């Protein structure tokens, strides 16, 4: 029987990044994925004959350092594309166009304030940026090197200057609504800028404490948080990661569901020594690295009985219910949107911050939003191969759709929601309905089933202050090591979190190699 | 939701034995334990104490928390929760256990009764249901039933306790060894008798469905009439347990989950309960932290002290020198022991100073005037009170 | 023309405290007040013959004992009596009584959920731990984290030391508590909805957040971190109503020869060369002083009584963005008899605490949803107390007065401005709800005063009627309060200070803001600092 240095469970992008670094350091690595294809949420799926879509349909923050470390460009990943502008759609066709450093369609004051807003947030995002690619040590740790990380964070913040530091300490916890109100008048602009602070979370514009940090996290990408679609689509990133890993000698095993992490009991405590697959095959390795979310890892694969009581309960109480549904349309031709010349952008239907807030209000009580808000992209404009020639797909993210719907999700619910979404889009596009060949709605529950992702949460767990940094997913497992010897984590459930960034995989590999 | 007592007024709950106990509580000396009205003493605490040592007495332990834990995961769950290995516990046996936070701080202590292969009863002094639920998270087959308000319990302690039960006609009682229990039928109810107690003397604890409590009481008092049976309260218990060297919550230890200040709770090693911690088990709550505690040595060690003179050293500091310049610990419980005629105490002493000289500064009152004196303490290894008769099987029949 | 050493604008309890400390230090001190009575929101007013309403604030838990003692408030008539426990009512009429003593309270909880009865011990210990840390900061001036001055560094180290005295796990739990919503935080403890709702309800009192809004757990703490005689979490009533507190502080002020002028609304702070030199009253009179202290909220201070042109750049905007949201209403009712509530035991002690018409977490959150939409809540959270049940001075014998605090009530309605009709409809909503739990309640009403944020602002000047003088969210706490860079009570104009609840440690009848501001003023004047930094209870 073969034995490996490392087995990585799950083939999402963080797992792939981790596999790459480990293999390059000389390890013999096996990576096991339940689905046919690697890539996790970034993977492309054929949702209608000839039509493919990725659940994560664009990139915004993939780490440039990782791309260059792994020389992904030589494996076909070309990120030299322009950022997508965000187009905040307006019913009376006064759309607002938001570019990286300018905004069109708002008052002059708003346009000027946008520059101020952007430069302030950019400054904050830049301060935090280095720390996304670092493990954050435990507090009360007497290790000098660990202490230095905190000193470094403090210093970075202080070096912004007195005024900016003060502003940072105030602004980071603001609800998006308050921040936007301080800068702008335009409802569309305010809602659109709030969007990337909120999507994927259970936060609404009036929720304090967590969303601005999420926004700053997303702004660490090369286009300051703006999305882009690499040449060749998201697939090209996953393909490049796979190809680079193959080149480094990583072994791949797909369509294999890991059922259990094998734990050896000894008088020295517990130690992970291998994995057991769905067909009861046991594969041994010196260490096991979990690229699946923390709840799956510790509750299903390790078992609560193998961790201490507070630990298993802290994992259990992680807030990891997703609130975003994926909605894909197969279209017979390119629809037109009123007042829009080109659909090469990310279109937002969220007319006001209240529209987002009220959409959230429905969801709090277990219903889906009666007036959903959404963003959408037509990926076939960038990567025509995703649909048959001349045909298109539209890929949307819908807020807020609960994972646990009151009374459970039924087919009727999904049909009703589908109609509601199409109605919502139709307010802006008179001909979209005529072009629909097929639609697919993936609720957070569907995402959970499809991708073995607890709660269907994009980030494997809410990006909230108490679930960030050295508290992600919980202390005792936040430096990628776990209470079980030789068991590591490398997923978005760890610092710094989700989004196709690769940082968790990178940080985990660094810790393991160390 | 449990509907009984839904809009309770402020009155305390009454024990199933209350009717009989109230009649005997001529001093109306009541306090409260877990929401129950509960006797401090009935007539005279010292008299009651001597009943424990001389004849026998009953102590109402109905307010103790009693949890029935059933299911095929019961053993695994309990074994992860407590520090001791209970996998070898035989049916009809009982074991004394403690359980800790993941930081190795003691949450509570109690006893586990092994009723059957997948059935245990856990008893303890304070509510632990929330913790038990947390501890059972992740186990598929486990059921926890809180028997506290449905099962009455009474402790029968003292040298004549065996004679009382034997006269009651309880078959097989003579073969019951310490930490054994049997279940028999009584008054159409199941009566469980365990050879356990909190006095360090010969004694039993009796557990019965609450509707049969009065019948049990009457049977005990009828059989016990010639053996000097007497109810005793909290005060006498506290005297007996201190002589026996047993720890008491909020005297020797703070329950960790209710402790406000950091590390003002205790580890089992600090409480001299290291023998309850079994590191051979690959996992139990607090294992990592306790390994460190064992390796580095606990900050404090609970120590039994024999103190010069007769003034109880309550709430005193312990010093390493007669001049009281170096404070090395504090007294947790202290009393004059009527049985052994010694001034005894338990104290938390900084482990690194265990071998130093031990001095205690005692404040005491004499006709309203306050005095203090510094006297020498001697460490005591064994409990102050540990009579042969407590362990003898069969016990002596009077 | 007389020139004072210090003028304090606004005779609220913090303004009076500030003035009392300044006067005690020998300063010639004047407090100017727009109303014909003193006390701001800590008042007792006879609004119906024989009935004395504490018609704004109604309980006292944060009053600092050290100030109470220091200013001799007992001598000046102040007696604080602790609550005996609160009853919470659920949507379906069930009650949960938080009895004063532990055993019965345990039994009451256990009757609903034995699990939760146990978990309550852990919650109390945890809240106690969190409260103790915060309490240590109440009478201290927040450090400026950007500063390298020795005093700021010392204060930062103090905070770090106190925080570091917690265990590692406790620190993470603290962060969790500090940033989470009250409802979600309590999920880790309880399973029963009424117990959760009862415990979460302080998390929304006075704030424009809901039980599910991150940050509401801290608001909860803000309401329960006070104490009466060292018993953390206890609430108390002032004998004679909340006005007794203001009266006692005013007594202390007068003892030290301070002056109070009522009916003297300030129109402007007079500024010359970037220095505050006096106040112009609406009467046209100008009064000068070396030091001007505003006890008004930050928004009112910088947008209403100072000329924008007198302010350094950016301050006006900061003040405009200061979050001070109207979210609460108050209904004060004179009753002909003590009301009887359903599902409560016949127990004479039961009325010696509060009543919480809590409903459930969902009811409270739905009430918040109404507020977000510019409506008052149809099924609001009401927190009530009947002080006359044990205070003989506030209603005629046998008669009673009931204080009802309502969350939520918006400052601005979506359908246009407040009118007397709308105000009365709002009041009707409140008594309708109480009637549900106390049949016949409406028949007992002798007189009723309904106060929406509109009335509160108009009468006592709190912007939007916000009871805290500014939201208690992280962006407005500690060194962020009221604005970053101005948390040490000194304001951007020279010789000008703030001493109201817009400053650290925020809302509540604590006297802490006023005392802290006095400390800074005395330091600037190089006078001996007589303001206590520690509270007298060692816990």
């Amino acid at each position: 029987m073969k034995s490996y240095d490392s087995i990585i469970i799950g083939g999402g992008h963080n797992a792939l990044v981790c596999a790459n670094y480990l293999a390059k350091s000389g390890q013999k690595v096996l990576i096991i994925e339940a689905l046919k294809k690697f890539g996790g949420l970034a993977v492309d799926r054929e949702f209608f004959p000839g039509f493919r879509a990725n659940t994560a349909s664009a990139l915004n923050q993939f780490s440039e350092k990782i791309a260059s470390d792994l020389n992904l460009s030589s494996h076909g990943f070309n990120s030299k594309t322009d950022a997508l502008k965000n187009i905040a759609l307006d019913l009376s066709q006064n759309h607002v166009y938001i570019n990286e450093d300018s905004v069109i369609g708002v008052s002059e004051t708003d346009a000027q304030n946008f520059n101020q807003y952007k430069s302030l947030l950019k400054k904050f995002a830049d301060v935090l940026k280095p720390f996304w690619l670092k493990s954050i040590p435990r507090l009360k740790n007497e290790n000098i090197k660990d202490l230095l990380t905190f000193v470094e964070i403090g210093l970075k913040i202080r070096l912004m200057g007195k005024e900016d530091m003060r502003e940072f300490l105030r602004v980071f916890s603001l609800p998006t609504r308050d921040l936007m109100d301080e800068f702008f008048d335009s409802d569309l602009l305010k809602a659109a800028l709030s969007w990337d602070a909120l999507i994927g979370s259970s936060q609404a514009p009036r929720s304090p404490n967590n969303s601005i940090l999420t926004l700053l996290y997303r702004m660490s990408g090369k286009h300051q948080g703006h999305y882009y679609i690499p040449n060749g689509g998201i697939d090209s990133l996953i393909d490049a990661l796979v190809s680079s890993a193959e080149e480094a000698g990583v072994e791949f095993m797909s369509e294999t569901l890991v059922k259990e992490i094998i734990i050896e009991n000894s008088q020295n405590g517990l130690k992970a020594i291998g994995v057991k697959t769905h067909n009861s095959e046991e594969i041994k390795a010196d260490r096991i690295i979990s690229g699946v979310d923390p709840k799956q890892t510790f509750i299903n694969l390790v078992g609560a009985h193998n961790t201490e009581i507070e630990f298993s309960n802290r994992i259990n109480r992680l807030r990891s219910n997703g609130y975003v549904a994926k909605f894909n349309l197969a279209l017979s031709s390119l629809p037109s949107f009123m007042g829009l010349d080109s659909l090469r952008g990310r279109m937002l239907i969220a007319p006001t911050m209240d529209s987002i807030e009220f959409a959230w209000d429905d969801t709090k009580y277990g219903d889906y939003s009666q007036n959903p808000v959404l963003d959408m992209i037509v990926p076939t404009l960038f990567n025509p191969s995703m649909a048959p020639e001349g045909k298109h797909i539209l890929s949307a993210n819908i807020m807020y759709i609960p994972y646990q719907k009151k009374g459970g999700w039924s087919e009727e619910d999904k049909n009703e929601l589908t109609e509601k979404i199409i109605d919502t889009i139709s307010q802006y596009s008179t001909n979209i309905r005529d072009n629909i060949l097929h639609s697919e709605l993936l609720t957070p529950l569907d995402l959970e089933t499809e991708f073995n992702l607890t709660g269907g949460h994009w980030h494997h767990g809410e990006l909230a202050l108490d679930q960030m940094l050295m508290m992600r997913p919980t202390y005792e497992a936040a430096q990628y090591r776990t209470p079980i010897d030789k068991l590591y984590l490398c997923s978005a459930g760890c610092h710094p979190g989700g989004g196709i960034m690769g940082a968790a995989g990178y940080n985990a590999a660094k810790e393991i190699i160390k | 939701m449990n509907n009984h007592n839904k809009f309770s007024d402020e009155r305390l709950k009454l024990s199933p034995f209350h009717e009989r106990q109230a009649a005997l509580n001529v001093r109306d000396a009541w306090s409260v334990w877990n929401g129950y009205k509960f006797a401090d003493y009935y007539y005279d605490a010292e008299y009651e104490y001597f009943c424990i040592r001389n004849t026998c007495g009953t102590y109402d332990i109905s307010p103790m928390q009693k949890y029935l834990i059933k299911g095929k995961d019961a053993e695994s769950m309990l074994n992860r929760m407590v520090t001791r290995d209970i996998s070898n516990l035989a049916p009809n046996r009982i074991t004394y256990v403690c359980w800790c936070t993941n930081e190795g701080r003691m949450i509570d202590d109690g006893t586990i009764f092994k009723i059957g292969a997948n059935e245990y009863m856990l008893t303890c002094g304070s509510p632990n249901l929330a913790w038990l639920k947390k501890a059972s998270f992740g186990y598929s087959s486990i059921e926890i039933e809180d028997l506290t308000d449905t099962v009455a319990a009474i402790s029968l302690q003292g040298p004549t306790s065996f004679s009382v039960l034997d006269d009651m006609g309880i078959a097989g009682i003579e073969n019951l060894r310490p930490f054994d229990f049997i279940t028999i039928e009584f008054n159409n109810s199941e009566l469980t008798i365990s050879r356990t107690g909190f006095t360090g003397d010969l004694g039993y604890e009796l557990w019965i469905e609450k509707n049969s409590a009065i019948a049990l009481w009457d049977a005990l008092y009828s059989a016990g009439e010639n053996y000097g049976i007497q109810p005793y309260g909290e005060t006498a218990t506290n005297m007996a347990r201190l002589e026996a060297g047993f720890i008491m919550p909020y005297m020797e230890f703070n329950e960790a989950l209710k402790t406000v200040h950091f590390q003002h709770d205790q580890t089992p090693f600090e409480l001299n309960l290291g023998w309850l911690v079994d590191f051979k088990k690959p996992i139990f709550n607090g294992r990592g932290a306790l390994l460190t505690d064992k390796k580095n040595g606990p900050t404090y060690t609970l120590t039994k002290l024999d103190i010069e003179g007769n003034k109880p050293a309550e709430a005193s500091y312990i010093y390493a020198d007669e001049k009281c310049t170096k404070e090395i610990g504090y007294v947790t419980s202290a009393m004059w022991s009527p049985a052994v005629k010694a001034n005894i105490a338990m104290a938390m002493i900084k482990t690194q100073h265990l071998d130093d000289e031990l001095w205690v500064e005692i404040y005491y009152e004499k006709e309203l005037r306050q005095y203090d004196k510094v006297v020498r303490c001697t460490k005591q290894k064994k409990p102050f009170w540990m009579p042969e008769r407590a362990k003898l099987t069969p016990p002596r029949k009077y | 023309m007389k020139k004072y050493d210090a003028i304090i604008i606004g005779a609220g309890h913090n303004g009076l405290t500030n003035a009392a400390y300044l006067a005690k230090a020998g300063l010639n001190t004047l407090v100017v007040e727009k109303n014909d009575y003193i006390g701001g929101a800590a008042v007792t007013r006879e609004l119906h013959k024989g009935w004395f309403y504490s018609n704004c604030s109604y309980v006292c838990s944060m009053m600092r004992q050290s100030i109470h003692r220091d200013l001799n408030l007992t001598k000046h008539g102040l007696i604080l009596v602790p609550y005996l426990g609160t009853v919470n009512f659920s949507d379906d009429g069930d009650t949960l009584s938080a009895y004063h003593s532990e055993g019965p309270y345990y039994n009451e909880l256990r009757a609903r959920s034995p699990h939760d009865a146990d978990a309550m011990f852990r919650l109390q210990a945890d809240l106690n731990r969190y409260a103790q840390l915060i309490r240590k900061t109440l009478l201290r001036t927040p450090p400026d984290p950007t500063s390298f001055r020795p005093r700021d560094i010392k204060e930062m180290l103090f905070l770090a030391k106190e925080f570091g005295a917690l265990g590692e796990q406790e620190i993470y739990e603290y962060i969790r508590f500090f940033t989470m919503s009250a409802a979600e935080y309590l999920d880790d403890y309880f399973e029963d909805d009424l117990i959760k709702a009862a415990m979460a309800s302080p998390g929304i009192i006075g704030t424009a957040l809901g039980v599910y809004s991150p940050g509401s757990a801290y608001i909860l703490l803000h309401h329960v971190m006070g104490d009466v005689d060292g018993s953390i979490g206890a609430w108390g009533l002032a004998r004679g109503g909340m006005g007794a507190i203001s009266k006692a502080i005013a007594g202390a002020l007068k003892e030290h020869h301070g002056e109070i002028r009522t009916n003297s609304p300030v129109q402007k702070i007079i500024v010359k060369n970037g220095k505050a030199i006096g106040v112009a009253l609406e009467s046209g009179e100008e009064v000068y002083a070396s030091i001007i202290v505003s006890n008004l909220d930050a928004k009112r201070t910088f947008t209403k009584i100072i000329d924008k042109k007198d302010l350094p750049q950016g301050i006006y905007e900061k003040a405009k963005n200061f979050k001070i949201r109207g979210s609460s209403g108050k209904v004060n009712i004179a009753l002909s008899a003590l009301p009887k509530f359903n599902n409560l035991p016949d127990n004479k002690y039961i009325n010696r605490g509060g009543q919480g018409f809590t409903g459930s977490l969902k009811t409270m959150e739905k009430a918040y949803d109404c507020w977000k939409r510019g409506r008052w809540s149809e099924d609001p959270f009401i927190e009530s107390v009947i002080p006359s049940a044990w205070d003989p001075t506030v209603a005629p014998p046998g008669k009673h007065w009931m204080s009802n605090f309502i969350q939520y009530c918006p400052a601005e309605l979506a359908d246009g401005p407040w009118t007397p009709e709308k105000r009365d409809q709002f009041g009707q909503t409140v008594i309708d709800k109480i009637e549900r739990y106390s049949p016949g309640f409406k028949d007992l009403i002798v007189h009723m005063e309904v106060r929406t944020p509109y009335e509160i602002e108009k009468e006592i000047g709190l912007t939007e009627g916000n009871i805290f003088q500014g939201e208690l969210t992280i962006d407005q706490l500690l060194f962020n309060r009221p604005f970053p860079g101005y948390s040490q009570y000194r304001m951007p104009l020279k010789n000008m200070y703030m001493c109201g609840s817009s400053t650290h440690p925020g809302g509540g009848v604590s006297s802490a803001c006023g005392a802290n501001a006095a400390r800074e003023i005395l330091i600037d004047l190089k006078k001996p600092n007589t303001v206590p930094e520690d509270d007298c209870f060692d816990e």
Side-chain angles (χ1 to χ4, degrees), chain A residues 55-312:
Chain A
T55 300
S57 41
L59 297 180
N60 72 334
Q61 60 186 137
F62 189 75
S63 161
E64 291 157 82
K65 177 177 182 352
I66 295 171
S68 91
D69 276 4
L70 300 179
N71 201 5
L72 294 182
S73 60
S74 73
H75 294 276
F77 173 61
N78 178 355
S79 62
K80 290 196 185 66
T81 53
D82 290 336
L84 296 176
K85 56 175 162 292
N86 287 320
I87 308 168
L89 296 180
D90 178 43
L91 270 182
S92 46
Q93 303 185 26
N94 297 319
H95 308 313
V96 171
Y97 301 84
I98 307 166
N99 294 306
E100 263 176 77
D101 38 29
S102 66
V103 56
I104 298 162
V106 294
S107 70
E108 205 162 302
T109 329
D110 272 4
Q112 276 169 12
N113 288 346
F114 181 79
N115 295 331
Q116 271 183 35
Y117 164 86
K118 231 18 220 274
S119 78
L120 185 72
L121 262 64
K122 179 84 177 53
K123 215 178 293 173
F124 296 163
D126 285 348
V127 163
L128 297 178
K129 188 171 174 176
F131 301 101
W132 307 129
L133 280 179
K134 260 192 174 147
S135 342
I136 308 296
R138 285 168 73 155
L139 292 171
K140 297 207 101 175
N141 189 337
E142 262 121 61
N143 185 325
I144 295 291
K145 220 180 127 221
D146 286 351
L147 273 174
L148 280 179
T149 306
F150 294 117
V151 173
E152 201 186 333
I153 295 177
L155 215 58
K156 278 257 182 202
I157 294 175
R158 182 62 185 87
L159 284 175
M160 280 193 291
K162 240 176 160 61
E163 280 310 308
D164 285 337
M165 173 177 175
R166 284 172 174 158
E167 219 24 25
F168 176 78
L169 293 178
R170 182 184 75 95
V171 163
F172 86 92
S173 71
L174 281 178
T176 57
R177 186 188 171 101
D178 294 345
L179 182 65
M180 299 310 159
D181 279 345
E182 287 183 14
F183 279 94
F184 307 110
D185 294 322
S186 157
D187 282 336
L188 272 175
L189 179 60
K190 290 195 254 189
L193 291 175
S194 298
W195 190 262
D196 283 315
L198 304 173
I199 190 160
S201 74
S202 62
Q203 312 289 313
R206 284 187 189 272
S207 315
N209 296 355
N210 306 317
S211 28
I212 301 299
L213 280 175
T214 308
L215 185 64
L216 295 176
Y217 171 51
R218 287 200 164 118
M219 282 180 69
S220 67
K222 62 188 267 187
H223 296 295
Q224 301 171 25
H226 274 257
Y227 281 84
Y228 61 94
I229 297 184
N231 293 327
I234 306 291
D235 304 355
S236 70
L237 171 63
I238 298 304
D239 293 346
L241 284 170
V242 169
S243 144
S244 136
E246 271 170 347
E247 189 184 277
V250 173
E251 286 182 43
F252 290 80
M253 186 184 274
S254 61
E255 293 178 274
T256 307
L257 182 68
V258 170
K259 285 298 230 189
E260 188 188 324
I261 293 171
I262 304 169
I263 311 274
E264 185 182 69
N265 289 353
S266 76
Q267 293 193 11
N268 299 323
L270 304 178
K271 183 177 164 190
I273 56 163
V275 298
K276 196 178 198 172
T277 67
H278 65 287
N279 44 27
S280 295
E281 189 189 346
E282 294 192 357
I283 313 171
K284 297 275 167 69
D286 288 348
R287 73 185 62 74
I288 309 300
I289 302 156
S290 173
V292 300
D293 69 80
K295 279 194 181 174
Q296 284 268 3
T297 306
F298 290 111
I299 297 170
N300 299 345
L301 301 182
V302 168
H305 61 280
N306 279 324
T307 56
E308 294 197 1
I309 295 168
E310 288 99 323
F311 184 87
S312 57

Side-chain angles (χ1 to χ4, degrees), chain C residues 187-298:
Chain C
D187 274 344
D188 195 36
Y189 294 85
F190 303 121
E191 49 189 28
D192 180 82
D193 190 78
L194 180 56
I195 294 176
K196 267 192 225 176
M199 296 311 291
S201 63
I204 59 170
I205 293 178
T207 184
L209 295 173
V211 274
Y212 283 102
S213 306
S216 51
Y218 172 73
I219 313 281
L220 188 165
L221 184 69
H222 197 86
H223 287 291
V224 302
M225 72 180 164
D227 68 297
V228 178
D229 301 323
S231 146
I232 293 187
W235 285 8
L237 285 191
R239 189 174 193 273
M242 295 300 282
I245 299 174
S246 308
K247 230 166 101 186
I249 306 172
L253 170 63
K254 285 174 189 154
E255 183 185 338
H256 297 293
H257 316 294
E259 274 178 56
I260 301 173
R261 281 170 67 175
T262 51
N263 287 317
S264 305
V266 168
Q267 193 195 26
K268 282 284 175 250
I269 292 180
I270 306 168
V271 180
K272 208 168 163 186
N273 301 329
K275 273 190 204 165
I277 56 162
V279 294
L281 303 179
E282 276 178 14
S283 62
E285 186 188 349
E286 294 189 347
V287 194
Y288 296 92
S290 319
I291 281 170
I292 308 296
V293 189
S294 171
N295 186 35
L296 311 187
D297 68 69

